[in-house]
Amino acid sequence: MQRFRAIDSHTGGEPTRLVFGEGLCLRGNSMADFREDFGSRLDHLRSAFVCEPRGSDVLVGALLVPGFRAEHGVIFFNNAGLLGMCGHGTIGVAKTLVHAGIWSPGEHQIDTPVGVVNLDIGTDGKVTFRNVPSFLSEKDVAVEVEGRVFNGDIAWGGNGFFLCSDHGMKIELENVNELLRVSGAIKEKLFVSGHRVNNYEVDHVEFFADPVGEADSRNFVLCPGGAYDRSPCGTGTSAKVATLYARGKLQPGEVWRQESITGSIFEAWVEVEGDTITPVIRGEAFVTAELELLIDPADPLRDGFTAFKRGDK
Ligand code: PYC
């Protein structure tokens, strides 16, 4: 029987499962090597950690391993594969490490496959993190699906995003099936047409609309693996503020309040040095469970299952 200690949290409604993975002894000399090794040699564990029957298509995993450029390294993943970075997950990891007595409130760093992320855990419980540099890559990309053209921007925020305000749909939970269908078709079109950003697939689709609450905008974010983000999406909000800055619509330090489809809010702004745009994101997370994941070699479903694969809607 394999046993892994894990702690679950949610950030603005979006779940994160931190799995203590020091014992896995990943191979390589960088977090990018560790990510590659985890994905190629231990993909059955990725799936076992987050997919059904132990998890769900909504759950994001965070594997805690020794870092290279910081004491702790984190590899983020979901039902469909490995992520570059994950913003809601970073906030969840920070609160989880405080809960576990590993960190105290204050300044910390995590090493990720796409760069080092600095973060500050406030005494008010909010977590502020300085994301990897983000940028607008392609402006005004037209994607035709279901006989309609959707115009949007391709941007990097630690993952690849298609950002679209030109969709005409209601961003409400009651409309989630339509949002999933259309965003899935857009993602498929972008995949087939070979659009990439920072060498990654454009595998997240983000729709924007007017806010319902006290915010600047409301979003819906399709994640790779077919689930939508219940939080405002940290990497998606990073891509958004980098794009707003590039389009002259947001000044450095000006706060952008991004509301999710569930009504949760991240505050965000950009810091700019030369050509480098660094998004800063603030949100809060709550621990929801302490677990020991058991993987029984006799269990025919021990490796987990999902209907989604990378590149699927
Ligand atoms: O918050 O960056 C994020 C994220 C990515 C996928 C799900 N959440």
Side-chain angles (χ1 to χ4, degrees), residues 34-312:
F34 273 12
R35 179 183 190 270
E36 166 67 26
D37 186 46
F38 183 52
S40 57
R41 206 167 46 85
L42 300 172
D43 200 53
H44 56 286
L45 287 181
R46 173 198 60 74
S47 165
F49 292 157
V50 289
C51 291
E52 296 178 58
R54 292 175 199 80
S56 77
D57 285 336
V58 181
L59 187 56
V60 170
L63 186 71
L64 189 73
V65 291
F68 292 85
R69 297 163 290 189
E71 189 186 352
H72 298 290
V74 179
I75 298 166
F76 292 105
F77 52 97
N78 70 1
N79 59 334
L82 303 170
L83 297 167
M85 229 300 276
C86 179
H88 92 270
T90 297
I91 296 170
V93 165
K95 287 304 287 284
T96 297
L97 292 181
V98 171
H99 176 83
I102 294 170
W103 280 355
S104 305
E107 293 187 5
H108 299 276
Q109 288 191 322
I110 56 170
D111 198 357
T112 80
V114 291
V116 173
V117 175
N118 291 292
L119 54 91
D120 186 17
I121 308 167
T123 44
D124 60 357
K126 296 219 169 146
V127 177
T128 307
F129 73 90
R130 199 159 265 96
N131 199 4
V132 296
S134 301
F135 55 89
L136 168 61
S137 168
E138 287 180 69
K139 268 186 183 172
D140 301 320
V141 175
V143 182
E144 195 184 332
V145 297
E146 298 187 359
R148 275 201 55 195
V149 175
F150 295 83
N151 289 296
D153 293 329
I154 291 178
W156 176 254
N159 291 301
F161 284 85
F162 180 71
L163 308 175
C164 174
S165 300
D166 166 41
H167 53 80
M169 290 176 289
K170 277 201 312 188
I171 297 191
E172 297 294 346
L173 284 171
E174 67 200 25
N175 196 34
V176 91
N177 288 338
E178 183 188 10
L179 292 163
L180 283 168
R181 191 190 73 247
V182 176
S183 58
I186 292 174
K187 180 166 94 82
E188 192 63 13
K189 266 281 169 80
L190 289 166
F191 178 70
V192 169
S193 57
H195 282 281
R196 291 180 77 77
V197 54
N198 212 22
N199 247 340
Y200 275 68
E201 268 173 50
V202 182
D203 56 8
H204 293 68
V205 174
E206 185 166 358
F207 294 140
F208 298 94
D210 288 340
V212 171
E214 301 273 297
D216 294 295
S217 155
R218 184 175 181 87
N219 71 6
F220 163 89
V221 182
L222 174 75
C223 301
Y228 66 92
D229 198 329
R230 276 66 174 161
S231 84
C233 191
T235 51
T237 301
S238 296
K240 175 67 176 177
V241 290
T243 297
L244 286 168
Y245 171 75
R247 286 185 169 275
K249 293 182 178 164
L250 191 74
Q251 297 306 309
E254 190 181 339
V255 175
W256 178 261
R257 286 170 61 82
Q258 185 64 60
E259 180 184 71
S260 71
I261 190 166
T262 64
S264 52
I265 289 182
F266 285 168
E267 290 177 341
W269 58 95
V270 290
E271 293 176 353
V272 181
E273 232 182 282
D275 289 341
T276 306
I277 305 165
T278 304
V280 184
I281 308 289
R282 177 175 294 156
E284 63 185 337
F286 298 89
V287 169
T288 53
E290 294 177 342
L291 311 153
E292 187 172 36
L293 303 173
L294 305 182
I295 304 181
D296 184 339
D299 177 356
L301 295 178
R302 63 187 170 272
D303 295 342
F305 60 88
T306 177
F308 293 96
K309 287 273 171 272
R310 200 142 197 111
D312 283 357

